[in-house]
Amino acid sequence: MANGQANGQWYPPEWPDRIRALADGMLTPVTPRRAATVMLLKDTGTGTAVHMLRRRTSMAFAGGAYAYPGGGVDPRDDDRDIGWAGPTRAWWADRLGVDEAGAQAIVCAAVRETYEEAGVLLAGPTPDSVVGDTTGADWEADRAALVARDLSFAEFLDRRGLVLRSDLLGAWARWITPEFESRRYDTWFFVAALPEGQRTRNASTEADRTVWITPADAAAGYDKGELLMMPPTIATLRALAECGTAAEALASAPDRDMTPVLARARLVEGEIVLSWPGHDEFTKHVPATTPTPATPSDPTGGAPA
């Protein structure tokens, strides 16, 4: 069955049934996994661009959707002593709304995933430096070990004698996957500027292409239905479009609201209304009764528009 699409927003066709089951008390929400994702920025002649990847169309979750480098938190990074530069773990704990061990693991995940999927490493041999070229065979061997989870990021930093540059990250937003989803993530979104001397590449096995694109152009592509995205992606793009430079985005990050955004489903006059607080554009109206089977003209089986 095809994925549903409204404008450029991706959503799975099973949403209506799962929303109804949750509303009827027949579905127990899955506990969300911690995750982190990074909006990597660079200034260009046409404005600030963000690095995005397109998930392979064969992916079961959000196939064909545009997203940022990101992934799950590795619990092995919670409490290991690592080289750390920038705001303290206590500062990050307060900013991210977690304890200090959790804050370290979430920041580690943000930096690790950027390295795993984009080949960009926000770490250096000293608290005020960043590594240069990371395309050598020895670097690639370590990156592959990180991807395979044979190596934790804390172990990688220790082996390389590197200091994690938390000061190069800005916490931007936090979104939690709706309670009716079968795969749920509690995801912290960060911004970072591409370090001088480094370059991105498509190092992700989950992506079939990567692009540098201005947030405004990406949002326009979504609005035209040309670029597929999930609500957190387009919402963060719209906010990024208000920043003129990468430095401006990073400077504004500390003032960003980190209250978790969690979709709500409620029954209103015979239909289920699905809404994301503070983001009215994503509101959906789902029939409260079981829809008729899909037809050739209705390939989503009645999935909400």
Side-chain angles (χ1 to χ4, degrees), residues 27 56 78 155 169 176 182 196 200 222 272 286 297:
L27 179 68
R56 294 185 184 278
D78 274 57
E155 292 168 338
L169 288 168
I176 301 177
S182 57
E196 186 175 349
T200 57
Y222 166 89
I272 296 167
V286 183
S297 60

Side-chain angles (χ1 to χ4, degrees), residues 30-82:
V30 175
T31 300
R33 293 180 54 202
R34 297 176 299 168
T37 190
V38 177
M39 299 176 285
L40 195 60
L41 307 173
K42 71 174 181 180
D43 295 325
T44 70
T46 56
T48 301
V50 61
H51 180 72
M52 302 190 76
L53 52 83
R54 185 177 68 182
R55 294 173 61 84
R56 294 185 184 278
T57 55
S58 58
M59 297 290 291
F61 180 75
Y66 280 79
Y68 315 112
V73 169
D74 186 343
R76 294 177 295 178
D77 293 330
D78 274 57
D79 52 14
R80 178 161 175 163
D81 188 30
I82 64 172

Side-chain angles (χ1 to χ4, degrees), residues 220-289:
Y222 166 89
D223 290 335
K224 296 174 184 176
E226 296 171 354
L227 300 181
L228 215 58
M229 298 177 201
M230 290 181 284
T233 309
I234 181 58
T236 50
L237 280 172
R238 294 205 197 285
L240 277 177
E242 300 173 1
C243 300
T245 64
E248 185 179 327
L250 281 162
S252 68
D255 296 324
R256 298 285 307 174
D257 184 5
M258 293 298 290
T259 303
V261 179
L262 174 64
R264 298 181 302 197
R266 64 189 190 279
L267 190 63
V268 179
E269 297 180 354
E271 68 177 2
I272 296 167
V273 178
L274 177 62
S275 61
W276 279 258
H279 301 273
D280 293 342
E281 71 168 295
F282 305 128
T283 299
K284 299 186 181 302
H285 298 263
V286 183
T289 56

Side-chain angles (χ1 to χ4, degrees), residues 18 22 27-30 176-182 184 262-263 265:
R18 295 187 65 86
L22 180 66
L27 179 68
T28 301
V30 175
I176 301 177
T177 309
E179 292 183 330
F180 51 81
E181 277 276 39
S182 57
R184 301 190 64 212
L262 174 64

Side-chain angles (χ1 to χ4, degrees), residues 78-156:
D78 274 57
D79 52 14
R80 178 161 175 163
D81 188 30
I82 64 172
W84 184 278
T88 65
R89 293 165 181 78
W91 184 92
W92 278 108
D94 180 67
R95 182 74 181 117
L96 302 179
V98 296
D99 60 21
E100 290 189 32
Q104 173 173 300
I106 292 164
V107 172
C108 277
V111 177
R112 186 198 72 237
E113 288 290 336
T114 305
Y115 180 48
E116 286 184 9
E117 299 194 344
V120 171
L121 183 57
L122 304 176
T126 64
D128 58 357
S129 64
V130 179
V131 298
D133 187 10
T134 61
T135 58
D138 58 333
W139 284 102
E140 184 57 26
D142 278 352
R143 194 192 67 80
L146 287 168
V147 172
R149 296 298 180 260
D150 293 335
L151 184 68
S152 75
F153 194 65
E155 292 168 338
F156 165 77

Side-chain angles (χ1 to χ4, degrees), residues 159-177:
R159 174 191 294 184
R160 289 271 179 181
L162 295 175
V163 177
L164 183 149
R165 293 289 306 276
S166 81
D167 55 318
L168 299 181
L169 288 168
W172 191 263
R174 180 180 179 184
W175 287 66
I176 301 177
T177 309

